[in-house]
Amino acid sequence: MDILSSDYFRRQSISEEAMDAVSGMDQPGSMLAVYWLESDFGQEGGALSETEMLSARKRWERAKGWGTYLSGCQAIWDDLQYFPVAESTDNSRLSVSFEDSWMFDRSYGGERGHEGTDIMPSVNKRGIFPVVSMTDGVVENKGWLELGGYRLGIRGPHGAYFYYAHLDSYADIKEGDEVKAGQLLGFMGDTGYGTKEGTKGKFPVHLHMGIYLYENNEEISINPYPALRYVEKRKIRGDFG
């Protein structure tokens, strides 16, 4: 069951019915693991009842590679606690939006697919929107990347890597620090697309959010759009703007 690197798994397709079923769960990874196998990765069928899920899981647990597959689902889903952009209690005009842009064409640095979700602000101004950690974890990477600009990479407790890119500035945080879900990481910006550190203004202000797994020394990008929908109503609220 070596499916973590398959296009079907990476896309993370979830029906509306299944999303509703997991919306109140603190640890949805186990249910989604069964759901994807039973629904041909979201191509057919809706949510499973608890009885159906338990029965199906008993069958799949006997399959080769089940443990690795289950761990991947749990790594992506079970550490999620907050939406990565805070909500203003002071200015109702400040809001964000996002869409499923998985593998949309990108051309900077060569033709490639978009391995993430862009969260767009209602006001195209850098340094306004606070970016917070979706999960507990450890800061594994901080600093400049040509594509990602000022970015942070946080390793969640179950092993997934959560990637926050194009930041305008950082909070008081460094590599190796432990962070808590909801903790301030920095502020949304428009850094990147330049070999010179500090390049800005090449695209509108936004947060690029990515999720990655590592299996057999291979980096596997995962579509973060369904995970963002899962935590869309779990926003840290504060005064800004």
Side-chain angles (χ1 to χ4, degrees), residues 2 20 29 31 45-46 48 105 108 117 125 142 144 151 157 164 175 204 213:
D2 184 19
D20 288 342
M31 176 183 166
L48 299 174
D105 290 339
Y108 180 85
T117 296
K125 188 174 182 180
K142 175 188 176 182
W144 182 262
R151 69 37 166 125
Y164 307 79
E175 290 183 8
L213 296 177

Side-chain angles (χ1 to χ4, degrees), residues 214-233:
Y214 288 87
E215 182 65 25
N216 297 322
N217 296 316
E218 178 186 4
E219 181 181 82
I220 304 170
S221 56
I222 303 297
N223 184 8
Y225 176 77
L228 288 167
R229 285 193 56 212
Y230 173 73
V231 293
E232 186 172 6
K233 295 182 179 179

Side-chain angles (χ1 to χ4, degrees), residues 48-128:
L48 299 174
S49 69
E50 185 175 354
T51 300
E52 290 171 328
M53 183 182 72
L54 291 174
S55 177
R57 175 165 177 162
K58 288 180 180 178
R59 286 189 284 103
W60 287 111
E61 283 177 341
R62 296 191 290 270
K64 183 179 179 180
W66 164 259
T68 299
Y69 165 70
L70 176 63
S71 294
C73 294
Q74 292 171 327
I76 297 164
W77 286 88
D78 285 0
D79 294 331
L80 298 171
Q81 295 190 48
Y82 291 110
F83 191 76
V85 181
E87 181 176 62
S88 176
T89 58
D90 192 50
N91 189 339
S92 61
R93 293 179 302 167
L94 297 181
S95 61
V96 297
S97 61
F98 61 99
E99 63 178 16
D100 190 351
S101 59
W102 179 247
M103 288 298 155
F104 280 18
D105 290 339
R106 294 291 187 269
S107 59
Y108 180 85
E111 297 298 324
R112 56 192 169 85
H114 187 230
E115 295 185 344
T117 296
D118 290 337
I119 301 174
M120 309 301 298
S122 58
V123 177
N124 184 36
K125 188 174 182 180
R126 61 179 71 108
I128 297 295

